[in-house]
Amino acid sequence: MGRMRSRRTETRRRAVRLTPGSDHDAVIVGGGHNGLVTAAYLARAGLRTLVLEARPIVGGTAGTETFAGARVNLCSCDHTTFRTTPVGEELDLAAHGLRYLDLEPASMATTWSGAPLWRSYHDPERTIDELAATHPGEVEGYRRYLAAARPAVQTIIAAASEPPSLARLTRLAIRRRLAGIAPVLRWSRRSAADVMRSFFTSDALRTPGLVSGPMVWGVSPEAPGTGLGALPYAMRHVARVGRPVGGSGALTDALAAVVRCHGGDVRTGARVTAIRCDGSRVVGVALAGGEEISAPIVVAACDPRRAFVEWLSSPPASAEAMIARWRDRTPGTGYESKIDAVLDREPRLRGADAPLSSTLVVAPPIADMDRAARMLPTGGMLERPALLVNVPTIADPSLAPPGHHVLSLEVLLTPYALPGGWPGSSEPQRWLELLAELCEPGLLESIVAWRAVTPDVYERDFFLPAGHAPSFGGGPLAALRSREPELTRYETAVPGLYLTGAATFPGAGVWGASGRNTATVVLAQVA
């Protein structure tokens, strides 16, 4: 134990010496939002920073691209956790074009069984008033839920603002007098479904939160250790749900502008094929086509397994155990799909006065969520899967030509290994038809153009192996117990090589905390 501690201390104190003769001081592999956050902080600190993005545009799945004359978000357009970080203010993203539209209601929810739709607002009392009208039997449970969940969310947000350590978590617990630590510890050991059942009596309240938690992670809500996936409702009361004007990609465009403003460079269409080492440390990267770029710091803002197993060239002997561990790790497979459609009129929910500006969650029963997770490996999926639906042009008309709207439909869980394959599959059309059942007549006839982004497309176009985007899950306690320290300390067993992105703490979503934490670690070690 003493030897392990001294080794960890030595790793934390390891200095990275910048070499004036190198092409750059730091190369960031991947231009998603976390990679760009790291790059922006490094460039602002004076490091000669280069971002390499394989796709034609930056942003990764947080980006926005043009389709059928409209701007469509590549994944969810709702930003919540990012707005809990100081990144926007510290990097002055507003000066580089980023502006948010606050959403009210923050979200809407219903179930396939036809439970009355209910709206969640940033103001908890307004939400409780809504529940008193739609689900009066759940009001007392929602108050109990908030009493436990809001301090837990505040604790997780505070813990995510720095690289995790036992000392920091202890200080946080003392500062918050355990109000948020206690539920984090208890819920971390439970299933999210059990947590929801302890507060609510109906699927109308239990299941929509589980769609935004474990189902978004691609796991069953009945799985032990998923309890923090029961926090989405509370998160919306702690942080405001917002959308960047111009689409989610307005955030990543602003981050890229900050990198360039501070003398850094962002290259798209630049596919990395190797991370070069000299037998003792990182010395740079190689690109498709043979170009070599030298740098004493490389940050992999991409799939860690690909970086360690496929790209590392001449790594030091000290990295052998880490590489072997990742080689033996079973890779995940994709489980999410998205439909983007351009419409010639605004869709309306059947029998409801609620426009689809805010995201609507349509949830299956808990038993079906569990069954969907168990069917994933063999390619099965639910007849009525979980849906997340919104029409971002209601709040931001600039996203589509005049008189048109953009429909965003995310579907969970959709297996990578669909029997017969995704090309030519009738599944995406079926999802549109399912949505049409929930809407006033005319939705299908209003579609001018549409596309389906299925797991095979995420693999082909986003370089995600098997369409899977790695995601760290489990919160700060899991970060302390992780057997993969590179995911929580952001540095690796290869001197000069660091990690950032959704695979590292605190995990998925448009958050940016991982990118900021990685920059903190890198800058603390630069000599």
Side-chain angles (χ1 to χ4, degrees):
M1 178 68 76
R3 222 177 298 150
M4 185 179 295
R5 273 186 190 146
S6 67
R7 208 174 277 157
R8 286 178 179 172
T9 302
E10 180 186 342
T11 300
R12 281 196 294 269
R13 291 176 180 171
R14 183 169 55 205
V16 176
R17 298 195 178 279
L18 303 184
T19 51
S22 62
D23 298 323
H24 297 273
D25 295 326
V27 170
I28 316 298
V29 181
H33 76 285
N34 277 300
L36 290 167
V37 168
T38 299
Y41 279 102
L42 298 187
R44 189 185 67 159
L47 273 64
R48 297 172 298 149
T49 304
L50 171 65
V51 178
L52 298 172
E53 168 55 48
R55 300 192 73 241
I57 60 172
V58 297
T61 54
T64 302
E65 66 184 17
T66 300
F67 169 71
R71 287 181 58 76
V72 298
N73 296 304
L74 296 167
C75 271
S76 171
C77 57
D78 292 348
H79 292 191
T80 308
T81 46
F82 178 79
R83 305 182 80 193
T84 69
T85 74
V87 173
E89 291 75 20
E90 288 176 350
L91 298 179
D92 198 10
L93 295 182
H96 296 276
L98 180 64
R99 183 166 66 89
Y100 275 99
L101 298 169
D102 290 335
L103 284 190
E104 287 287 11
S107 68
M108 303 185 295
T110 188
T111 66
W112 280 117
S113 62
L117 179 144
W118 63 281
R119 303 170 179 86
S120 172
Y121 297 88
H122 180 64
D123 179 359
E125 290 304 319
R126 190 176 178 190
T127 302
I128 287 169
D129 289 344
E130 169 87 3
L131 290 175
T134 59
H135 301 84
E138 301 289 9
V139 168
E140 189 272 334
Y142 201 83
R143 288 193 185 279
R144 288 191 297 107
Y145 166 83
L146 285 184
R150 287 177 74 189
V153 166
Q154 290 163 343
T155 296
I156 288 171
I157 289 171
S161 67
E162 297 180 278
S165 71
L166 181 58
R168 289 190 181 102
L169 196 60
T170 302
R171 288 197 301 270
L172 186 62
I174 294 170
R175 192 163 67 243
R176 294 184 175 274
R177 299 182 181 178
L178 297 178
I181 293 292
V184 167
L185 295 176
R186 289 197 309 270
W187 293 14
S188 292
R189 293 187 288 267
R190 301 174 63 187
S191 75
D194 280 345
V195 173
M196 286 300 201
R197 281 191 284 257
S198 70
F199 294 105
F200 306 118
T201 61
S202 69
D203 270 2
L205 270 289
R206 290 171 175 168
T207 57
L210 298 176
V211 170
S212 303
M215 286 201 86
V216 168
W217 303 343
V219 299
S220 168
E222 297 282 14
T226 59
L228 296 182
L231 291 174
Y233 298 155
M235 179 64 77
R236 298 179 193 123
H237 297 309
V238 173
R240 285 195 176 275
V241 179
R243 294 178 186 161
V245 175
S248 180
L251 166 62
T252 50
D253 288 346
L255 288 167
V258 172
V259 175
R260 294 185 175 109
C261 175
H262 291 288
D265 192 12
V266 179
R267 288 175 56 181
T268 56
R271 186 164 62 88
V272 169
T273 57
I275 297 175
R276 300 290 192 206
C277 304
D278 64 1
S280 62
R281 59 164 299 105
V282 154
V283 294
V285 300
L287 304 184
E291 182 182 357
E292 301 272 345
I293 300 172
S294 60
I297 296 168
V298 173
V299 180
C302 54
D303 176 19
R305 190 175 189 277
R306 173 169 281 171
F308 296 144
V309 176
E310 298 180 23
W311 291 348
L312 268 183
S313 170
S314 301
S318 59
E320 288 178 2
M322 179 189 73
I323 296 168
R325 174 164 39 83
W326 280 90
R327 185 182 294 115
D328 294 342
R329 200 178 199 248
T330 302
T333 59
Y335 53 83
E336 182 172 1
S337 296
K338 185 173 189 288
I339 287 178
D340 299 305
V342 178
L343 316 178
D344 62 14
R345 74 197 78 146
E346 178 188 334
R348 305 288 295 188
L349 289 174
R350 192 183 298 270
D353 62 354
L356 280 166
S357 176
S358 303
T359 297
L360 168 70
V361 178
V362 184
I366 292 176
D368 279 0
M369 293 182 187
D370 181 57
R371 185 162 60 91
R374 286 186 281 108
M375 289 192 297
L376 268 178
T378 56
M381 67 175 297
L382 298 177
E383 283 296 309
R384 293 184 178 272
L387 306 181
L388 295 97
V389 191
N390 63 66
V391 181
T393 40
I394 296 175
D396 185 1
S398 71
L399 294 171
H404 290 73
H405 282 280
V406 170
L407 169 70
S408 170
L409 171 61
E410 294 177 78
V411 187
L412 299 164
L413 299 165
T414 62
Y416 173 75
L418 184 75
W422 282 105
S425 169
S426 61
E427 277 296 310
Q429 175 69 36
R430 187 177 73 85
W431 305 333
L432 284 170
E433 291 167 358
L434 285 173
L435 178 60
E437 294 177 12
L438 302 175
C439 293
E440 297 289 347
L443 170 66
L444 297 178
E445 293 76 14
S446 72
I447 297 176
V448 175
W450 68 279
R451 70 176 189 180
V453 185
T454 47
D456 61 316
V457 177
Y458 283 118
E459 179 176 53
R460 183 193 70 206
D461 294 351
F462 291 85
F463 308 99
L464 298 175
H468 180 254
S471 173
F472 186 89
L477 197 62
L480 295 180
R481 295 194 303 231
S482 176
R483 296 180 180 178
E484 298 166 321
E486 57 275 2
L487 298 183
T488 59
R489 295 186 196 139
Y490 313 102
E491 57 183 312
T492 76
V494 179
L497 177 61
Y498 300 83
L499 289 183
T500 195
T504 65
F505 178 80
V510 182
W511 198 324
S514 167
R516 182 174 181 267
N517 288 346
T518 301
T520 298
V521 170
V522 173
L523 291 173
Q525 296 180 355
V526 170

